Amino acid sequence: MANGSVRINGNALQLGDGAQVRFIRTLRLPESGTHALPPGLGEFPLRRVEDHPDTVPAEWLAKGGVMLPVHLREAMWLSFAGTREPAALQVGVGKVCAVSGERWTGRLARRPQNYVVLPRQPWLDGINSGKGTVRQFVAVPLGLGATVEGQVTGEETTGGVQLQAFPLGPEPLRRWREEERARLTPPPMPPSAPMPAAFGGYGGAPGAPAAPGGPPMAARAAAPARSAPAMGLGVGGSMRQEVYEDTRPLSDWAVEPAARVFVHLVTPPEWRRITGEPAPPSPVDRAAYTRAGLPWFDYYDESGTDLPATDTLGAVKPVGDWIGDDHTPWVPPTPSQTHPLGNAPRPGKPVQDGDW
């Protein structure tokens, strides 16, 4: 069990001192073809499991963590904007690594690599399934065999999403901080030159350089506790997205994680029963979104190297094989709708970890 803290800031999970993760609602892609990155349609709300001890199942209390409401077949992606310092983040779907396809482990590995590097990796939309592509995360119930967990392990006993963040070791972190200070320190101004307004000089209020990372988020009475319908993540359509290979030696990362958290996926009716709050409405229709001329995205980082997919994840089948195809007509975005992208709040209460 990690000793570091996990907190909820708004709808963002803060893992330790550096890594920040948001769960973003999005459009479900067709399961044929390869597509641009779909847009973000708002954040999933997050709540601490321990705040609802009378209404969550006992096994959820034992695992601790947080929960979010998600509709059947709804798609999501993970945004890492706001990550302040380098972190190696493991992402599990039913305790299967979304990067390597290996079983969940408490240690980092490189052959195959079982983590993404933040903030180099701005987001993760699905499992690493092919050269320069991922297959979209889609929520499905346990018991059908449609989840990544069910297809890889032959069992569906865990569900949910698991996150574990490792910081840099003390010496690599010290070097990184020195390099960042040097990078962000402006060069000295000539003696005769006026100081720019952006740095508190003439003509304006003090300002600050923008933080590195991805684009703004705008771009993209208690009842007795009982068992709740268990949800996990399967996969949907394929999209163009690279999962970047780590360029640091594995020894640069700490041996022990700074923080970890179990994320429970809750159906909308159960969300209302547990929290008393309504869940977000069903996702926006794809065709209506595209007809409105709203943006899709294409991200490219010329300095990054794509991490090859393993045979395990490449063989995972989309959820349509179990729950049927989505027959909503597919309206592809026009070229002008696809936008190229690339090259701190007050802390909340700590989230309780448990045994999972």
Side-chain angles (χ1 to χ4, degrees):
M1 185 182 301
N3 295 322
S5 64
V6 177
R7 295 177 181 270
I8 299 177
N9 292 329
N11 289 322
L13 278 177
Q14 190 76 40
L15 283 80
D17 294 329
Q20 188 170 105
V21 182
R22 290 179 175 87
F23 294 84
I24 310 298
R25 310 181 77 211
T26 190
L27 302 176
R28 183 181 166 200
L29 297 174
E31 294 177 357
S32 59
T34 300
H35 308 276
L37 300 176
L41 301 177
E43 301 168 349
F44 286 94
L46 295 173
R47 300 291 181 266
R48 301 191 313 165
V49 167
E50 64 210 79
D51 288 337
H52 302 276
D54 297 323
T55 50
V56 298
E59 59 267 28
W60 291 17
L61 286 173
K63 292 178 179 177
V66 300
M67 54 188 173
L68 64 83
V70 61
H71 293 264
L72 175 65
R73 302 186 186 182
E74 185 172 8
M76 69 169 63
W77 52 275
L78 278 58
S79 169
F80 308 129
T83 293
R84 297 191 298 270
E85 295 187 339
L89 181 72
Q90 292 182 311
V91 180
V93 285
K95 295 182 74 171
V96 172
C97 177
V99 176
S100 70
E102 301 285 325
R103 299 266 188 147
W104 181 262
T105 175
R107 293 290 182 266
L108 299 179
R110 287 292 274 274
R111 295 184 179 165
Q113 182 176 314
N114 65 353
Y115 58 94
V116 293
V117 179
L118 311 186
R120 157 52 69 79
Q121 189 80 36
W123 43 65
L124 185 67
D125 286 62
I127 64 169
N128 184 25
S129 59
K131 183 175 176 56
T133 64
V134 301
R135 292 202 77 104
Q136 187 175 45
F137 292 133
V138 177
V140 287
L142 301 189
L144 300 178
T147 62
V148 176
E149 175 187 3
Q151 294 188 58
V152 171
T153 71
E155 299 178 330
E156 291 182 314
T157 59
T158 304
V161 177
Q162 299 76 42
L163 302 173
Q164 185 163 258
F166 292 75
L168 287 173
E171 181 58 24
L173 181 58
R174 182 193 64 78
R175 293 197 305 266
W176 179 86
R177 286 173 174 170
E178 288 183 352
E179 293 168 358
E180 280 297 285
R181 279 195 293 268
R183 186 178 69 84
L184 296 175
T185 300
M189 303 298 295
S192 59
M195 183 178 291
F199 289 95
Y202 304 108
M217 287 301 300
R220 272 255 285 146
R226 64 183 188 190
S227 295
M231 298 275 281
L233 290 180
V235 301
S238 178
M239 71 190 78
R240 293 183 291 276
Q241 183 177 89
E242 293 181 327
V243 178
Y244 294 117
E245 186 176 350
D246 189 7
T247 58
R248 292 183 174 89
L250 191 62
S251 58
D252 273 10
W253 299 107
V255 175
E256 297 294 331
R260 70 172 199 166
V261 64
F262 195 108
V263 183
H264 304 266
L265 306 181
V266 187
T267 63
E270 285 298 302
W271 178 263
R272 180 181 284 275
R273 183 189 67 80
I274 290 170
T275 68
E277 305 171 24
S282 295
V284 176
D285 173 74
R286 290 193 309 245
Y289 186 97
T290 301
R291 282 196 300 267
L294 298 173
W296 295 66
F297 303 97
D298 193 9
Y299 182 83
Y300 177 65
D301 183 342
E302 64 180 7
S303 65
T305 301
D306 182 45
L307 190 67
T310 62
D311 292 341
T312 301
L313 292 182
V316 172
K317 298 178 181 179
V319 299
D321 289 2
W322 284 267
I323 60 177
D325 292 333
D326 184 352
H327 296 292
T328 303
W330 169 238
V331 180
T334 64
S336 63
Q337 284 179 264
T338 303
H339 294 205
L341 300 172
N343 264 23
R346 186 175 180 178
K349 294 180 181 179
V351 174
Q352 180 179 323
D353 189 20
D355 183 9
W356 45 271

